[in-house]
Amino acid sequence: MPQPHVQYVEAAPGVRLWTERRGDPDASVLLLIMGAQASGLGWPEELCDALAARHQVVRYDHRDTGRSTWSYGKEPYRITDLADDVIAVLDGLGIERAHLVGMSLGGMLAQLVLSDDPDRLLSATLIGTNALSTTPLVHADGTTTAVEDLPGIDQRILEEWARPVEDHGVEAELDRRVRHWRLLHGDRIPFDAEYFRALERRIIEHTGRYDSSGAHGQADYSGMDRTEALAATRVPALVIAAGAEPVFPPPHPQHLAQVLGEDAALVEIAGMGHALPRQVLNPLAEAVLAHTAKA
């Protein structure tokens, strides 16, 4: 497979985003959108290569991650601005329409694009995220659960997020990131600490620094409700359900699929949590490729 092609695109005045493309340039585009504070390199190479068997695969660094512009400290932005960045990536690379795959915050950004710019999408795949909707979950027996009563984030993760991040050198930072991944990973698949340490070491080398701006946790999350637009969407949508998901645990995936309508597909990846260990990469790639083929 040819070497990936790197290109920077202008997302806003003074803001450049690092992008990378791989695969057949004549194939349909599949754009990967990572989660909060996560570089595009958070998408494992094996997964990118598997998806590139049928698509031109694009991944990119959000603002304040990786090699993209770190700007929040001087010019704060809203989370909805990160959804505008998705369109900026497509425009900057000359892409008219694409399949989107979003994980965690990336899944929220994909929902914003799906709602606000559906003509730019061929399909959407949403992983480890919650619905940007106030529509209640309807159970098989006809009873309902309000959105605010759906299960919350695992308390252990909330406690980890509340801990101050101190600079004790790169190896200590790697220890912290691996500890975080252990919590996100879930308890159904054996945790491979060295796999995630190597992943984070590559991200640090790519970024050229090992600190985190914390921008996406500080940014304004208002204006993200898309209840009506998501209910009306006609973009083919796939929701990945992960039984060991600790951030948006079941029935969040089932709720999201309901919000997106009866045509939305729901596929469970056995043992998956809020992470991408080797064990889930093949079934995840198969699910995504089956979905994009139908779309």
Side-chain angles (χ1 to χ4, degrees):
M1 182 177 295
Q3 287 295 311
H5 174 71
V6 171
Q7 181 177 337
Y8 286 85
V9 302
E10 299 293 326
V15 177
R16 293 200 318 160
L17 302 180
W18 175 92
T19 75
E20 178 203 84
R21 287 185 281 179
R22 73 181 68 196
D24 184 351
D26 294 324
S28 59
V29 173
L30 189 151
L31 176 60
L32 301 170
I33 312 172
M34 242 302 146
Q37 297 305 150
S39 158
L41 268 65
W43 295 102
E45 297 294 324
E46 303 96 314
L47 179 62
C48 294
D49 286 341
L51 297 173
R54 292 200 209 154
H55 295 285
Q56 180 183 174
V57 174
V58 177
R59 59 181 177 175
Y60 70 101
D61 289 339
H62 293 297
R63 305 184 195 194
D64 290 276
T65 75
R67 296 182 180 177
S68 292
T69 302
W70 290 45
S71 60
Y72 189 85
K74 294 182 179 179
E75 296 186 22
Y77 46 82
R78 300 172 58 171
I79 291 299
T80 51
D81 292 327
L82 297 182
D84 293 339
D85 288 353
V86 176
I87 300 301
V89 168
L90 296 179
D91 289 345
L93 299 181
I95 298 165
E96 183 177 352
R97 301 178 73 195
H99 301 278
L100 292 192
V101 179
M103 182 166 184
S104 195
L105 174 64
M108 299 179 201
L109 301 181
Q111 290 177 68
L112 292 173
V113 176
L114 186 156
S115 299
D116 300 345
D117 295 281
D119 58 318
R120 304 299 300 271
L121 300 191
L122 297 169
S123 75
T125 299
L126 309 172
I127 308 166
T129 193
N130 66 319
L132 303 182
S133 172
T134 58
T135 302
L137 170 69
V138 180
H139 300 280
D141 61 3
T143 60
T144 62
T145 298
V147 171
E148 57 267 26
D149 293 327
L150 293 173
I153 301 170
D154 187 301
Q155 185 61 34
R156 295 170 298 174
I157 294 175
L158 293 176
E159 291 171 359
E160 178 67 23
W161 289 349
R163 295 173 62 169
V165 178
E166 300 175 341
D167 184 358
H168 296 292
V170 65
E171 294 304 321
E173 173 61 14
L174 286 167
D175 290 341
R176 185 191 70 81
R177 296 188 188 190
V178 171
R179 183 176 69 241
H180 186 215
W181 279 122
R182 188 183 296 274
L183 294 172
L184 294 176
H185 183 272
D187 56 7
R188 309 240 183 119
I189 294 174
F191 181 70
D192 185 345
E194 287 308 311
Y195 168 84
F196 284 99
R197 194 177 190 87
L199 172 69
E200 288 297 339
R201 194 180 293 279
R202 287 196 300 274
I203 290 171
I204 288 172
E205 291 172 353
H206 164 75
T207 305
R209 55 196 289 183
Y210 62 84
D211 60 328
S212 172
S213 73
H216 301 164
Q218 302 169 40
D220 182 354
Y221 275 73
S222 65
M224 293 178 64
D225 180 82
R226 294 295 186 275
T227 300
E228 294 182 3
L230 292 175
T233 186
R234 294 296 177 266
V235 175
L238 169 66
V239 178
I240 298 297
E245 167 68 57
V247 178
F248 297 111
H252 276 282
Q254 291 75 16
H255 175 239
L256 178 53
Q258 282 188 10
V259 163
L260 293 169
E262 59 184 19
D263 292 333
L266 182 71
V267 172
E268 181 170 359
I269 305 296
M272 185 174 175
H274 199 78
L276 297 173
R278 284 195 180 95
Q279 296 93 325
V280 309
L281 299 184
N282 283 340
L284 181 58
E286 290 171 1
V288 172
L289 291 175
H291 176 60
T292 60
K294 291 179 182 178

